[in-house]
Amino acid sequence: MNAPAAPDAATRLPLSEAPIPDEVFQNMRRANLARWPTGAEVDIDAAVERHKALPRHKQLAWVMREADRQRRCLTQPRGGCGTFNMHRDLMVTLDREGLADVVPTTTDSYTRNEQWQLAQHGIEESEKAGRSLLNGYPMVNYGVAKASQLVDAIDKPAIMLTGTAMPMLTGEIGYAGGYSGYLGSGIAYTTSYIKELTIEEGIRNYQYLDRLAALYQARGVELHRRQPGFLTGTNVPPSIAIVTCVLDCLLAAAQGVRNYGLEMGETLHLIQDAAAVAACRELCQDYLAKKGHRDVFTPVTLLHWMGAWPHDDAQSAAMIAYGGTLAAIAGANSVTTKSTHEAYGIPTPQANAEGLRMTRTAIYLARNIRLDGLPEYEREKALIGREVRPIVDKVLEMGDGDVAVGTVRAFEAGVLDVPWSPNRGVASRVLPARDADGYLRIVDPGRMPFPGDVMAVHEERLRKRAERENIPYGPDLAVSSVYEMSEPIAKLMSDRWAV
Amino acid sequence: MNAPAAPDAATRLPLSEAPIPDEVFQNMRRANLARWPTGAEVDIDAAVERHKALPRHKQLAWVMREADRQRRCLTQPRGGCGTFNMHRDLMVTLDREGLADVVPTTTDSYTRNEQWQLAQHGIEESEKAGRSLLNGYPMVNYGVAKASQLVDAIDKPAIMLTGTAMPMLTGEIGYAGGYSGYLGSGIAYTTSYIKELTIEEGIRNYQYLDRLAALYQARGVELHRRQPGFLTGTNVPPSIAIVTCVLDCLLAAAQGVRNYGLEMGETLHLIQDAAAVAACRELCQDYLAKKGHRDVFTPVTLLHWMGAWPHDDAQSAAMIAYGGTLAAIAGANSVTTKSTHEAYGIPTPQANAEGLRMTRTAIYLARNIRLDGLPEYEREKALIGREVRPIVDKVLEMGDGDVAVGTVRAFEAGVLDVPWSPNRGVASRVLPARDADGYLRIVDPGRMPFPGDVMAVHEERLRKRAERENIPYGPDLAVSSVYEMSEPIAKLMSDRWAV
Amino acid sequence: MAANQRTLVTGVIGSDTHIVGNRILSMALEKSGYKVVSLGALTPAGDFVKAAIETAADAILVSSLYGQGELDCRGFRDLCVEAGLDHILLYVGGNLIVGKHPWPAVEKIFLDMGFDRAAPPGTRVETVIEWLHEDFATRDRDLRRALD
Amino acid sequence: MAANQRTLVTGVIGSDTHIVGNRILSMALEKSGYKVVSLGALTPAGDFVKAAIETAADAILVSSLYGQGELDCRGFRDLCVEAGLDHILLYVGGNLIVGKHPWPAVEKIFLDMGFDRAAPPGTRVETVIEWLHEDFATRDRDLRRALD
Ligand code: B12
Ligand code: B12
């Protein structure tokens, strides 16, 4: 792995949520951009001009606000290829054939881990093989000019999807090239995408990126930042997602970010997802207000099922469509899509575009439906609040009011936790499972301080399921829930009658 | 067309809802079965034995009751091929690969119109071509023994789908072969599947079939009868569907039918469909009770969108999945499925099976969701009642309490009407269209006596749409609504921003 | 317009009940200035020809949606010729055969039967109006040339 | 059991963070009696070999989900041989290459690299346990034969 940016005094202050001072930030940028040759291509003045010259329908911040104003639910796929040409073709296909409202660039996993030498090797092998051997686009290796060509090839806003705890160079290059959105955050990605990096380093890395967005903001360019609250994508209950949304959002706002999207993986339970979207929006705004941030726009995005998918295109198609239905009814501002290839491998551009059109159709069909006033929905929404507030309040208390410090301490104490995390700094003792009515609940809270009455609700419903399916109450329930959605439908809903 | 069964005194009483007397019915059956050689194969004693020997999971009446008891939403496709072998293979594929809970036999359109000579020709041409030139299975030409082999080839109940106003011989043969369900009714199919036959003849034909089911019932065999309230499948609003459900149901109950399914095409509006299912169930039971029928089981089935489909598999997949979602959330007892081939032609067995699995997955995902208590749902349900009751009450009044007589008179007067009907005896002046919120409403009631306050609701919402889309209020609104769901999604929900 | 107003016969052939598209088409054709003789659903082939003779029609537009059009439409051109309608314009449209097939193959079957045009599933009325416009214009031109 | 308990090394190779399946697999293998040395996500190829030597492991189970396994796994068998682990059982499983491909083609790539077994996407733990059972039994039999 490449060395992290040099940790000397000029570039490293004690951890806090406070905005990085101008001068320190300039030093940090200089060091950062020097880490790979393409870093030198970043010129903030040129970048600002570039963004100002983009039509507003290619600026994600404007597009998200407009979607919110018009109550539209936008679609956005993922996708990245290992060579420039393949990747440009993919972006064009997603734009034209998929009607994607937001066009992505997923980076490859070497880039995510700042292994740019390996990425270079991957590019060469991909060219040789005539197919992509990388699982995404090596943004850093190709640099600013190429990024700019990609943005020019489409007629939509472009977003970087980089699933990394180390976003500093990728973010600089993409933003400079005219990408107007970046998905990633210090808490979410550090807990879910890396093994050895500490939460503190992850937070610091994203403070840099958020500070960069604020720099553009100060120069009159509104960029979109976004938080991946889907975390490990594996049965993450809304409350745990939202806790990280709130905390990452407060960290970003402290650096000066004004457009901050919040993402959550779908639970695939209509009522729980609708409640989660409403609760997420309210809770984030609530805590922002408490911390004195009154002008942060926080649209909410749902993601198609993030856990394991079935090996049947027909089953997958139904999950894709339902993913659109859920997002529309939940009133999400956008939905991030998958394809019928999900269980197998990275989809072809065509399969990816089909997933987009399925989703778009599903949104159209359900665009007028809302659940406000449905008793079960109102109950669930209140429940989520009762789960989130005690955790967030505890974190703030542990940090003596500082979100960054509180977060680091809370992870150490297990007060903050993420299920199925690969990170050594995360307890990953909390275990979720699906209950008898299809809601995601918590079977073991680990050391997360959920109130007793809340945990009693979870346990009661999960015990019902355990009993019905004859699974011992405990981790087995969590494991069977990991598999559930990937099981053949014949097993999930038999066409036979018990005799 | 073959001559109708001889209309002499021994087989024809004045029109009324009263049960056909034993002796008259025996004469009718004799004349009916003599119309084509295979009629002679029908032996009621053998048939009764056959049904009694079927395991109950192959008896549709039991299966529908059990589904209701277990709150399961069953899946059932359509499908028929022009030769026995192709058709058997289709049924087996739908059973095994599609996991169909109910396996269909759709008859071809010559059989539907009792043109058995033409059907014979179609069989031969299909054998020659090695592909089906008929749009269904010629049940009458193949006769009882072959029907019986089809039922034996599957492990589910088999239902006849015969879209005809002339069910008498097809019904005799299928029931004798072990089919335990028959879809069709005098009002619905006569108004929607034929041009020249009068409503009276259609009612009489189905009184025969209902009386036949009652004959089996008397011999200890419960058969399932079912009403196709989807009518012309073209934007039929729930209230018009339910009016026909109620009237056909009363006619069937009068002949002694005890298992009577009610079908409605989906409006593709979640709340309207859920309200329609609940309202249909309640209103039918209400009128049954008023007429003194206390033991008729009336499960409700929703059908995948019955109007025009889009020419894009991805769009169609979303409509299929949503069709399952709607049925599950509406609490329908079963859903009748389509495939991604719908806009093009009769699906291959594989495409048909995929449609089933998509639907099944969608049902699984939404199986726990109900809308009871949602204010908009409760309002819509009440509205449907306010639409249905005045019409049904008027029909009963016009018939001096006799449903058969009242129905015939009401169609003559336009009090009963069906949109887009091909039948000369139907005014077809009523015109439905989709409103601003996606509900199916009535733009022109023709002469149907909907109350003024109800029509005011419809008009207000439709005018909103007319304005928004700049379409003159009137028939153009109805025509654009016919096309709507078949339009490319790029047109329905543009990926561009108004500038 | 009224003087040389063209007459079109429309209907759905065979035992086919699909009236919706045919009715919308007929309404649109009327609106765009044609005289339309609309036979409705379930119309035997012979009835089309009879109506065309009676009304001295310029074209017959046959709808077939239910898949059995392949059987119903065989010999339709011959029927016309036998009745002396040698040059009448013949269109057919809808879901012409059973199943989903590549359009060119289906089109060929019906052009081979003697139809002048065949319309694939989902054809919009605007297209049909354009076709008629073109084909009648060509015929007029050919006629004028023949007269020159 | 304890005496001749087999030792397995598990982990997710390269820069791959997909830990869920690997963790469930490791838990299941432990439960079924193996000693499992679990290296977790993002594990360099060399770390597998080091761990196998240190624990005298009988097999290495490499997970790769993220598609870049094709690059990460090249030369894995050679690494083992160089380290003196000539006959160690090598499995690999997951979503092994980028994209959806017919399984036999993918399997061949990895068997050619020297893996003894490759598991297609979605393989259940029961299958893996069966494979290990079979393969260790075969090895025992071969060993006994060799000693006879
Ligand atoms: C609505 C519908 C019905 C309704 C019809 C109501 C009515 N009385 O009209 C009901 C429910 C009764 C019905 C019944 C049946 N249907 Co139906 N039906 C449809 C459906 C869903 C939509 C048809 C429609 O109204 N489209 C809207 C109108 C506006 O479009 P259109 O009809 O295509 O017409 C336009 C163009 O085609 C063109 N056009 C039409 N005619 C002509 C003629 C000329 C000369 C030209 C140039 C252009 C042209 O212009 C029109 C206006 O834009 C179609 C599938 C689809 N398209 O999605 C199936 C479909 C046509 N039905 C089909 C079948 C098989 C049946 C049944 C046999 C039952 C069954 N499914 O098993 C019965 C037939 C009964 C009978 N005896 O005919 C099949 C035909 C299969 C095939 N060809 O391979 C289809 C394609 C569905 C499928 N994929 O299986 N159906
Ligand atoms: C959950 C998930 C994630 C989570 C992972 C959380 C975590 N920390 O573990 C998150 C959201 C973080 C994630 C991230 C990414 N993911 Co991901 N992810 C998935 C997903 C949806 C499910 C994986 C899963 O947990 N399955 C459940 C477990 C129980 O099954 P399993 O992992 O397959 O393991 C079982 C078997 O495979 C087998 N097995 C596993 N290992 C071994 C080893 C041996 C020796 C044997 C015999 C058997 C065996 O036994 C296990 C137990 O039954 C899959 C798609 C799918 N399967 O539906 C994509 C998928 C694996 N991800 C993919 C990709 C590309 C990524 C990203 C690059 C981002 C992206 N999508 O663009 C990043 C990678 C980041 C990185 N650096 O690695 C691709 C891989 C593409 C390919 N191979 O062509 C997939 C296939 C999705 C897709 N179709 O694009 N992902």
Side-chain angles (χ1 to χ4, degrees):
Chain A
M1 228 171 275
N2 302 56
D8 61 52
T11 61
R12 192 175 174 94
L13 302 174
L15 181 71
S16 93
E17 66 178 37
I20 306 174
D22 271 355
E23 200 183 335
V24 176
F25 188 50
Q26 275 168 32
N27 295 337
M28 288 172 80
R29 288 193 69 219
R30 213 169 298 122
N32 178 37
L33 295 174
R35 292 189 300 148
W36 189 257
T38 52
E41 296 172 16
V42 175
D43 170 348
I44 186 85
D45 298 320
V48 164
E49 282 322 298
R50 163 119 182 98
H51 280 277
K52 285 188 173 166
L54 285 176
R56 60 187 188 178
H57 70 267
K58 291 184 70 173
Q59 298 173 21
L60 188 52
W62 181 84
V63 163
M64 294 302 291
R65 280 184 197 267
E66 195 59 17
D68 191 60
R69 210 181 54 76
Q70 297 186 21
R71 282 175 51 125
R72 270 168 75 163
C73 176
L74 307 179
T75 61
Q76 177 210 302
R78 304 87 189 274
C81 293
T83 73
F84 174 79
N85 285 335
M86 291 182 205
H87 186 61
R88 190 201 43 220
D89 292 352
L90 170 63
M91 287 178 78
V92 170
T93 301
L94 296 175
D95 175 4
R96 312 279 156 79
E97 286 175 38
L99 310 170
D101 295 301
V102 185
V103 176
T105 290
T106 299
T107 55
D108 71 282
S109 292
Y110 296 141
T111 298
R112 291 164 180 232
N113 288 288
E114 304 199 325
Q115 299 157 316
W116 300 307
Q117 300 281 11
L118 286 178
Q120 196 60 42
H121 177 66
I123 294 174
E124 286 151 22
E125 294 291 317
S126 301
E127 300 273 12
K128 226 190 288 169
R131 64 179 166 92
S132 187
L133 293 175
L134 294 176
N135 59 17
Y137 175 72
M139 176 79 87
V140 171
N141 295 64
Y142 277 111
V144 177
K146 288 288 181 191
S148 194
Q149 285 177 33
L150 292 172
V151 171
D152 288 342
I154 57 167
D155 200 28
K156 309 285 174 61
I159 188 170
M160 291 171 268
L161 308 179
T162 74
T164 177
M166 295 165 289
M168 297 195 299
L169 195 45
T170 303
E172 284 276 8
I173 286 176
Y175 273 146
Y179 281 75
S180 54
Y182 191 109
L183 172 65
S185 71
I187 301 171
Y189 273 158
T190 311
T191 57
S192 311
Y193 278 73
I194 198 157
K195 182 164 66 172
E196 306 285 2
L197 202 81
T198 63
I199 306 294
E200 172 170 347
E201 289 313 313
I203 288 178
R204 284 179 179 274
N205 289 344
Y206 273 96
Q207 284 180 321
Y208 176 105
L209 190 72
D210 291 333
R211 187 64 183 72
L212 179 64
L215 177 63
Y216 276 91
Q217 176 90 32
R219 305 279 302 259
V221 173
E222 281 214 296
L223 296 177
H224 178 82
R225 283 277 299 113
R226 196 181 281 187
Q227 199 267 2
F230 55 82
L231 303 171
T232 53
T234 304
N235 292 339
V236 177
S239 56
I240 294 181
I242 295 173
V243 165
T244 72
C245 286
V246 170
L247 297 172
D248 271 326
C249 183
L250 293 178
L251 287 169
Q255 295 301 324
V257 168
R258 292 294 166 266
N259 287 282
Y260 199 73
L262 307 163
E263 287 196 349
M264 287 182 290
E266 293 178 346
T267 64
L268 288 182
H269 189 288
L270 175 61
I271 293 173
Q272 191 168 31
D273 280 326
V277 168
C280 182
R281 209 173 259 141
E282 286 178 26
L283 287 160
C284 283
Q285 283 299 328
D286 225 50
Y287 279 100
L288 282 168
K290 271 192 194 142
K291 292 284 260 176
H293 305 294
R294 302 206 175 274
D295 52 355
V296 186
F297 172 59
T298 54
V300 179
T301 293
L302 282 182
L303 290 86
H304 275 169
W305 178 239
M306 288 295 290
W309 282 59
H311 290 259
D312 172 16
D313 284 13
Q315 259 179 266
S316 293
M319 284 170 60
I320 291 167
Y322 200 47
T325 304
L326 295 169
I329 296 180
N333 298 93
S334 77
V335 57
T336 302
T337 64
K338 293 196 172 184
S339 81
T340 56
H341 288 191
E342 178 64 13
Y344 296 97
I346 290 185
T348 59
Q350 280 62 39
N352 208 335
E354 275 164 29
L356 279 161
R357 294 204 304 280
M358 281 181 205
T359 308
R360 198 172 193 85
T361 305
I363 292 170
Y364 180 73
L365 293 170
R367 70 201 177 286
N368 297 301
I369 315 291
R370 289 294 180 280
L371 298 184
D372 302 80
L374 182 71
E376 197 176 332
Y377 163 84
E378 301 294 349
R379 265 200 309 278
E380 189 62 25
K381 201 173 118 186
L383 181 67
I384 294 173
R386 286 159 61 205
E387 291 163 8
V388 170
R389 288 181 190 282
I391 310 284
V392 173
D393 292 344
K394 180 76 192 169
V395 172
L396 294 177
E397 183 198 310
M398 289 175 84
D400 305 314
D402 186 287
V403 177
V405 173
T407 298
V408 168
R409 291 187 185 148
F411 271 109
E412 273 160 16
V415 162
L416 283 175
D417 200 0
V418 169
W420 300 104
S421 166
N423 193 304
R424 292 205 193 286
V426 177
S428 211
R429 279 187 43 183
V430 61
L431 269 186
R434 209 173 274 279
D435 78 8
D437 302 311
Y439 288 87
L440 287 183
R441 304 286 178 205
I442 292 169
V443 57
D444 182 343
R447 290 189 300 269
M448 294 184 80
F450 291 112
D453 61 328
V454 166
M455 282 313 300
V457 173
H458 287 237
E459 180 165 344
E460 185 239 316
R461 306 214 177 164
L462 284 168
R463 283 203 183 276
K464 238 196 247 169
R465 174 149 203 170
E467 240 163 70
R468 207 182 52 198
E469 303 195 354
N470 206 12
I471 298 173
Y473 186 82
D476 286 353
L477 208 53
V479 170
S480 87
S481 298
V482 167
Y483 284 115
E484 177 174 350
M485 293 300 165
S486 71
E487 302 281 13
I489 186 62
K491 182 169 170 187
L492 293 174
M493 203 169 100
S494 169
D495 60 333
R496 305 285 146 182
W497 296 94
V499 231
Chain B
M1 228 171 279
N2 302 57
D8 63 48
T11 61
R12 193 174 174 93
L13 301 174
L15 181 70
S16 91
E17 65 178 40
I20 306 172
D22 270 356
E23 200 183 334
V24 176
F25 188 50
Q26 275 167 32
N27 295 336
M28 289 173 80
R29 289 193 70 220
R30 213 168 300 121
N32 178 37
L33 294 175
R35 291 190 300 148
W36 189 258
T38 53
E41 295 172 18
V42 176
D43 170 349
I44 187 84
D45 298 320
V48 164
E49 283 321 299
R50 162 116 182 100
H51 280 276
K52 288 190 172 164
L54 285 177
R56 61 187 187 177
H57 71 267
K58 291 185 69 173
Q59 298 173 20
L60 189 50
W62 181 85
V63 163
M64 292 302 290
R65 281 185 197 266
E66 195 61 15
D68 190 62
R69 210 180 55 74
Q70 298 187 20
R71 282 176 49 124
R72 270 168 74 162
C73 177
L74 307 180
T75 62
Q76 177 210 301
R78 304 83 191 275
C81 293
T83 73
F84 174 79
N85 284 335
M86 291 181 206
H87 186 61
R88 189 200 44 219
D89 291 351
L90 170 64
M91 288 177 78
V92 170
T93 300
L94 297 175
D95 175 4
R96 310 278 156 81
E97 286 175 37
L99 310 170
D101 294 301
V102 184
V103 176
T105 289
T106 298
T107 55
D108 71 281
S109 291
Y110 296 141
T111 298
R112 290 163 181 231
N113 288 288
E114 305 200 325
Q115 298 158 315
W116 299 307
Q117 299 281 12
L118 287 178
Q120 196 59 42
H121 176 66
I123 294 174
E124 286 152 21
E125 293 292 315
S126 302
E127 300 271 13
K128 226 190 288 172
R131 65 181 165 91
S132 187
L133 293 175
L134 294 175
N135 61 15
Y137 175 72
M139 176 79 87
V140 170
N141 295 65
Y142 277 111
V144 177
K146 288 288 179 193
S148 194
Q149 285 176 34
L150 292 172
V151 172
D152 287 342
I154 56 168
D155 200 28
K156 308 285 174 61
I159 188 169
M160 291 172 267
L161 308 179
T162 75
T164 178
M166 296 166 287
M168 297 194 300
L169 195 46
T170 303
E172 284 276 8
I173 287 176
Y175 274 146
Y179 280 75
S180 53
Y182 191 108
L183 171 66
S185 70
I187 301 171
Y189 272 158
T190 310
T191 57
S192 312
Y193 278 74
I194 198 158
K195 182 163 68 172
E196 306 284 2
L197 202 81
T198 63
I199 306 293
E200 170 168 351
E201 288 314 312
I203 289 178
R204 284 179 180 275
N205 288 344
Y206 273 96
Q207 284 180 320
Y208 176 106
L209 190 72
D210 291 333
R211 186 66 182 71
L212 179 64
L215 177 64
Y216 276 91
Q217 177 89 32
R219 304 280 300 262
V221 173
E222 281 214 295
L223 296 177
H224 178 81
R225 283 276 300 113
R226 195 182 281 189
Q227 200 267 2
F230 56 82
L231 304 170
T232 54
T234 304
N235 292 339
V236 177
S239 56
I240 294 182
I242 294 173
V243 165
T244 71
C245 286
V246 170
L247 297 172
D248 270 326
C249 181
L250 293 178
L251 288 170
Q255 296 301 323
V257 169
R258 293 292 166 266
N259 288 282
Y260 199 72
L262 307 163
E263 287 195 348
M264 285 181 291
E266 293 177 349
T267 64
L268 288 182
H269 189 288
L270 174 62
I271 293 173
Q272 190 168 30
D273 280 327
V277 167
C280 182
R281 210 172 258 141
E282 284 177 28
L283 286 160
C284 283
Q285 283 299 327
D286 225 52
Y287 280 100
L288 282 168
K290 274 196 190 133
K291 292 286 260 179
H293 305 292
R294 304 205 174 274
D295 52 355
V296 185
F297 173 59
T298 54
V300 179
T301 294
L302 282 182
L303 290 87
H304 275 168
W305 178 241
M306 289 295 290
W309 281 59
H311 290 260
D312 172 16
D313 285 12
Q315 260 180 265
S316 293
M319 285 170 59
I320 291 167
Y322 200 48
T325 304
L326 295 169
I329 295 181
N333 299 94
S334 78
V335 57
T336 302
T337 65
K338 292 197 172 182
S339 81
T340 57
H341 289 191
E342 178 64 13
Y344 296 97
I346 291 185
T348 58
Q350 281 63 39
N352 208 336
E354 275 164 30
L356 279 161
R357 295 204 305 281
M358 282 181 205
T359 308
R360 197 172 194 84
T361 305
I363 293 170
Y364 180 73
L365 292 170
R367 69 200 179 287
N368 296 301
I369 315 292
R370 289 296 181 279
L371 299 183
D372 303 80
L374 182 71
E376 195 177 333
Y377 162 85
E378 301 293 350
R379 266 199 308 277
E380 190 62 26
K381 201 173 119 186
L383 182 67
I384 295 173
R386 286 159 58 205
E387 292 164 6
V388 170
R389 288 182 191 280
I391 311 283
V392 173
D393 291 344
K394 181 76 192 170
V395 173
L396 294 178
E397 185 198 308
M398 289 175 83
D400 305 314
D402 185 287
V403 178
V405 173
T407 299
V408 168
R409 290 184 185 152
F411 271 108
E412 274 161 15
V415 162
L416 283 175
D417 201 358
V418 169
W420 301 104
S421 166
N423 193 304
R424 292 203 194 287
V426 177
S428 212
R429 279 187 43 183
V430 62
L431 270 186
R434 209 173 275 279
D435 78 9
D437 302 310
Y439 287 89
L440 287 182
R441 303 286 177 206
I442 293 170
V443 58
D444 182 344
R447 291 190 298 269
M448 295 184 78
F450 291 111
D453 61 329
V454 165
M455 282 313 300
V457 173
H458 288 236
E459 182 167 340
E460 184 239 318
R461 305 211 177 168
L462 284 169
R463 284 201 182 275
K464 236 195 252 170
R465 174 151 203 168
E467 241 163 71
R468 205 180 56 198
E469 303 196 352
N470 206 13
I471 297 173
Y473 186 82
D476 286 354
L477 208 54
V479 169
S480 87
S481 298
V482 167
Y483 284 115
E484 177 174 351
M485 294 299 165
S486 72
E487 302 281 12
I489 185 64
K491 182 169 171 188
L492 293 174
M493 203 169 99
S494 169
D495 60 335
R496 304 286 146 180
W497 296 94
V499 228
Chain C
M1 162 89 55
N4 59 1
Q5 198 188 17
R6 308 265 188 189
T7 300
L8 313 174
V9 172
T10 68
V12 191
I13 198 168
S15 304
D16 190 341
T17 187
H18 293 91
I19 192 60
V20 180
N22 180 272
R23 192 173 289 167
I24 290 177
L25 184 59
S26 302
M27 284 159 50
L29 293 172
E30 211 150 62
K31 218 175 177 179
S32 82
Y34 292 101
K35 192 177 160 229
V36 177
V37 180
S38 179
L39 305 177
L42 294 114
T43 300
D47 289 9
F48 282 90
V49 179
K50 216 163 65 189
I53 294 172
E54 281 168 11
T55 62
D58 300 282
I60 303 179
L61 278 69
V62 177
S63 294
S64 179
L65 280 295
Y66 72 159
Q68 299 184 181
E70 192 175 356
L71 294 170
D72 297 330
C73 291
R74 285 189 190 160
F76 194 91
R77 173 61 81 181
D78 297 338
L79 272 189
C80 293
V81 174
E82 279 162 29
L85 300 172
D86 290 63
H87 297 296
I88 193 162
L89 195 61
L90 288 188
Y91 286 4
V92 65
N95 297 70
L96 294 177
I97 79 171
V98 169
K100 182 180 177 183
H101 302 276
W103 172 244
V106 179
E107 187 180 34
K108 186 170 181 314
I109 294 177
F110 285 81
L111 296 187
D112 286 352
M113 281 185 203
F115 288 91
D116 297 295
R117 300 247 199 189
T123 302
R124 292 296 190 255
V125 293
E126 295 75 23
T127 310
V128 185
I129 290 172
E130 251 175 58
W131 285 359
L132 285 169
H133 188 79
E134 274 178 35
D135 290 350
F136 283 134
T138 311
R139 293 196 164 202
D140 283 349
R141 221 176 17 249
D142 291 353
L143 197 64
R144 270 197 308 274
R145 280 214 195 105
L147 293 178
D148 281 350
Chain D
M1 163 89 54
N4 57 2
Q5 196 188 19
R6 309 266 188 190
T7 300
L8 313 174
V9 173
T10 68
V12 190
I13 197 167
S15 303
D16 190 343
T17 188
H18 293 92
I19 192 60
V20 181
N22 179 273
R23 192 173 289 167
I24 289 177
L25 183 59
S26 302
M27 282 158 51
L29 292 171
E30 209 150 63
K31 217 175 178 178
S32 82
Y34 292 101
K35 191 175 159 232
V36 177
V37 181
S38 181
L39 305 177
L42 293 115
T43 300
D47 289 11
F48 281 90
V49 178
K50 216 163 66 189
I53 294 172
E54 280 168 10
T55 63
D58 301 281
I60 303 178
L61 279 69
V62 177
S63 294
S64 179
L65 281 295
Y66 73 157
Q68 299 184 181
E70 192 176 357
L71 294 170
D72 298 330
C73 291
R74 286 189 189 157
F76 195 91
R77 172 62 80 182
D78 297 337
L79 272 188
C80 294
V81 173
E82 281 161 28
L85 300 171
D86 291 61
H87 297 297
I88 193 162
L89 196 60
L90 289 189
Y91 286 4
V92 65
N95 298 69
L96 294 178
I97 80 170
V98 169
K100 182 180 178 184
H101 301 276
W103 173 244
V106 179
E107 186 180 34
K108 186 170 180 313
I109 294 177
F110 285 81
L111 296 187
D112 286 352
M113 283 187 204
F115 288 91
D116 296 295
R117 300 245 199 190
T123 302
R124 294 294 190 257
V125 294
E126 295 75 24
T127 310
V128 185
I129 291 172
E130 252 175 56
W131 285 359
L132 286 168
H133 188 80
E134 275 178 34
D135 290 349
F136 283 134
T138 311
R139 293 195 164 204
D140 283 350
R141 222 176 17 251
D142 291 352
L143 197 66
R144 272 197 308 276
R145 281 217 195 104
L147 294 176
D148 281 349

